Amino acid sequence: MNIFEKIKRQFLNPELQFQASRSSGPGGQNVNKVNTKIVLLFHVFDSAILSESEKEHLKTKLANKIDNEGKIQIQAQEKRTQTQNKEVSVKKFYAMLSKAFTNKAPRLATKPGKAAIERRLKAKKSASERKNDRSVSFD
């Protein structure tokens, strides 16, 4: 099974861990009483679902997101409840994974069109004439 199928079917859900803490997000007085902020934790190198090549790929692509222990942490505190923030964090996680595994299309070299070349040459000619008009002749 390829990685995009794993992401689409959310196969990594059993390996996700969640921690709750007090949020600074919306909720009014509720913020001070209830732990609504969710931190999603995923141990990349301890994953039994990811293959070794996928782990190495994540290690290179998400190097700035993985800490020294090999964990990815994602916070969510946009919503007012734990369950909503849990859903948001899971969506962020899978979006990050799909972006990491999506290959960027190589840039194809192109040539400028005739109209662009003519515009550039016309601009150069007008700039040159403008500078020549500035010169003072001492004849």
Side-chain angles (χ1 to χ4, degrees):
M1 176 180 301
N2 72 13
I3 187 66
F4 293 107
E5 197 65 31
K6 291 177 188 176
I7 292 171
K8 185 178 176 184
R9 293 185 182 185
Q10 296 190 350
F11 269 29
L12 300 172
N13 281 357
E15 295 185 352
L16 300 180
Q17 298 172 351
F18 299 96
Q19 293 177 349
S21 62
R22 294 219 171 112
S23 174
S24 62
Q29 293 174 343
N30 193 43
V31 169
N32 301 326
K33 296 186 276 184
V34 182
N35 294 338
T36 56
K37 175 180 169 181
I38 293 292
V39 177
L40 178 146
L41 297 169
F42 177 70
H43 294 271
V44 176
F45 304 117
D46 295 342
S47 174
I49 297 172
L50 294 177
S51 68
E52 290 301 317
S53 62
E54 292 167 346
K55 291 176 189 178
E56 287 300 316
H57 188 80
L58 281 179
K59 183 180 176 183
T60 56
K61 287 286 189 170
L62 301 177
N64 58 341
K65 303 275 188 201
I66 298 175
D67 63 7
N68 295 337
E69 299 169 7
K71 290 186 289 186
I72 295 176
Q73 291 187 8
I74 297 176
Q75 292 185 4
Q77 59 182 4
E78 295 94 40
K79 305 292 183 182
R80 293 175 62 114
T81 65
Q82 268 189 22
T83 53
Q84 288 174 328
N85 282 331
K86 202 178 270 192
E87 291 171 8
V88 168
S89 65
V90 169
K91 283 181 186 175
K92 283 182 183 180
F93 173 71
Y94 283 112
M96 184 187 349
L97 282 186
S98 63
K99 185 177 178 184
F101 283 105
T102 303
N103 290 332
K104 199 173 171 184
R107 183 186 178 281
L108 299 176
T110 59
K111 294 181 180 178
K114 284 186 179 181
I117 293 171
E118 288 176 17
R119 279 194 305 270
R120 183 180 61 84
L121 291 176
K122 187 177 178 182
K124 283 179 72 166
K125 184 169 233 128
S126 67
S128 173
E129 289 173 1
R130 196 177 320 126
K131 288 182 179 185
N132 281 336
D133 291 344
R134 286 187 208 145
S135 66
V136 179
S137 63
F138 294 104
D139 293 338

